């Protein structure tokens, strides 16, 4: 699916008049997010979806950005991955985006000075594509909190991707895995939590084979550092040793 084929659909409304948001609508997203994983940075956009086009992207379907001018997109439900593709067709530098987050907001902020990557649905996803000609002035006129949220959301993404780059500078897969899981522990502040990512997806994110990931997770379980790592539960037994392995072995 090419973006140019769906971006010019007419939204339900094109009236950008001022809107009062309810008191719980905050422009400020969480300051920290998992490296390479973005979620719930832009829930404020739930209040202006009537000026966007609703698109259902089925699992494994891809949107290819084939336009010089690209709109920003809000992911209401689902889970997607954006990534680069080189001339040989190899996929690299993936980033995962979960419901409640914006896509292509950096492109909107920089007026196209940002490389736009394909969007692949990892599960059935509901997206809202905003008008390609909408401006900061239009958004400010609707409510200034929207413009603030775009800026804050992009800042969270920048910090998130910078942290991932730091983790991926460690050569050994064991270092990368331990550092990433310890970062998850630092954010959730719990021994057991919902990881929001599978072992295979983490392997993709950290640029290694999923078999390598599986073997290292098994080693960490044998050393009594991890107890479980499934799609719905990750339990850390020894966070201090996890960090030590990440930095030293």
């Amino acid at each position: 699916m090419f973006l140019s084929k769906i971006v010019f659909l007419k939204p339900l409304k094109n009236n950008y008049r001022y809107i009062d948001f309810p008191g719980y609508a905050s422009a400020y997203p969480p300051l920290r997010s998992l490296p390479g994983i973005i979620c719930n940075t832009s829930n404020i956009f739930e209040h202006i979806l009537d000026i966007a086009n609703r698109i259902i992207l089925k699992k494994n379907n891809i949107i290819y950005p084939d336009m010089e001018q690209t709109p920003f997109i809000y992911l209401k439900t689902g889970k997607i991955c954006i990534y680069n593709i080189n001339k040989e067709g190899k996929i690299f530098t993936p980033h995962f985006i979960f419901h409640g987050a914006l896509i292509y907001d950096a492109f909107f902020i920089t007026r196209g000075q940002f490389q736009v990557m394909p969007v692949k649905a990892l599960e059935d996803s509901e997206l809202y594509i905003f008008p390609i000609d909408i401006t900061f002035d239009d958004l400010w006129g609707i409510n200034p909190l929207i413009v603030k949220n775009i800026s804050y959301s992009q800042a969270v993404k920048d910090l998130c991707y910078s942290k991932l780059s730091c983790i991926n500078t460690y050569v050994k897969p064991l270092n990368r895995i331990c550092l990433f899981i310890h970062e998850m522990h630092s954010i959730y502040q719990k021994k057991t939590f919902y990881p929001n990512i599978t072992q295979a997806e983490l392997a993709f994110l950290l640029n290694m084979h999923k078999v390598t990931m599986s073997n290292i997770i098994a080693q960490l379980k044998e050393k009594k550092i991890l107890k479980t790592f499934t799609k719905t539960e990750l339990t850390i037994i020894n966070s201090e040793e996890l960090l030590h392995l990440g930095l030293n072995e």
Side-chain angles (χ1 to χ4, degrees):
M1 180 186 301
F2 290 99
L3 185 60
S4 61
K5 301 296 182 183
I6 56 178
V7 76
F8 293 112
L9 297 173
K10 291 185 178 180
L12 294 176
K13 135 178 135 170
N14 58 4
N15 190 335
Y16 301 148
R17 288 183 299 182
Y18 179 81
I19 299 174
D20 277 319
F21 289 161
Y24 61 80
S26 172
Y28 311 107
L31 293 178
R32 294 185 67 185
S33 189
L34 291 175
I37 300 175
I38 298 295
C39 57
N40 295 324
T41 61
S42 308
N43 287 337
I44 201 168
F45 279 82
E46 294 279 345
H47 302 285
I48 61 166
L49 295 183
D50 56 353
I51 65 171
N53 296 313
R54 179 176 178 268
I55 301 293
I56 298 297
L57 197 62
K58 294 294 185 180
K59 182 178 179 179
N60 293 324
N61 282 359
I62 300 174
I63 295 178
Y64 294 99
D66 59 334
M67 306 168 60
E68 291 185 3
Q69 189 176 356
T70 305
F72 64 91
I73 302 171
Y74 176 75
L75 178 63
K76 183 174 183 179
T77 62
K79 178 180 179 180
I80 68 165
C81 180
I82 62 174
Y83 51 81
N84 282 317
I85 304 177
N86 64 15
K87 293 181 179 179
E88 289 73 37
K90 182 181 178 181
I91 296 174
F92 60 102
T93 60
H95 299 298
F96 295 101
I97 297 181
F98 293 74
H99 64 90
L102 290 175
I103 311 166
Y104 297 161
D105 39 335
F107 190 94
F108 180 76
I109 290 172
T110 62
R111 299 297 184 188
Q113 300 173 35
F114 183 86
Q115 184 176 5
V116 179
M117 299 181 280
V119 170
K120 180 178 180 180
L122 301 178
E123 58 188 43
D124 290 355
S125 300
E126 181 182 4
L127 300 95
Y128 284 81
I129 302 178
F130 284 82
I132 198 167
D133 59 352
I134 199 167
T135 65
F136 276 106
D137 288 341
D138 293 328
L139 295 177
W140 189 272
I142 296 173
N143 194 301
L145 291 180
I146 299 172
V147 176
K148 287 185 178 180
N149 182 263
I150 291 177
S151 300
Y152 277 97
S153 297
Q154 187 54 47
V156 170
K157 286 186 173 69
D158 291 341
L159 291 171
C160 174
Y161 299 155
S162 296
K163 189 69 175 182
L164 180 63
S165 297
C166 291
I167 289 174
N168 276 336
T169 58
Y170 286 81
V171 177
K172 292 184 179 179
L174 175 63
N175 295 124
R176 283 177 268 159
I177 292 171
C178 290
L179 288 173
F180 190 98
I181 295 177
H182 189 270
E183 181 69 12
M184 296 173 81
H185 175 264
S186 299
I187 290 175
Y188 287 108
Q189 293 291 308
K190 296 179 181 178
K191 287 189 173 182
T192 299
F193 50 86
Y194 186 88
N196 276 325
I197 190 170
T198 66
Q199 289 188 32
E201 289 168 347
L202 181 54
F204 185 35
L205 196 62
L206 299 181
N207 193 29
M208 65 184 70
H209 197 280
K210 60 183 179 181
V211 174
T212 303
M213 171 66 64
S214 179
N215 290 338
I216 291 176
I217 295 300
Q219 293 173 28
L220 294 175
K221 289 179 180 178
E222 290 175 3
K223 293 179 179 181
K224 305 298 183 183
I225 296 173
L226 293 185
K227 182 180 179 181
T228 56
F229 187 172
T230 67
K231 185 178 181 179
T232 58
E233 181 181 321
L234 196 156
T235 299
I236 300 168
I237 300 173
N238 191 335
S239 61
E240 292 182 0
E241 184 62 21
L242 188 68
L243 180 60
H244 175 77
L245 287 177
L247 294 174
N248 295 289
E249 188 164 323

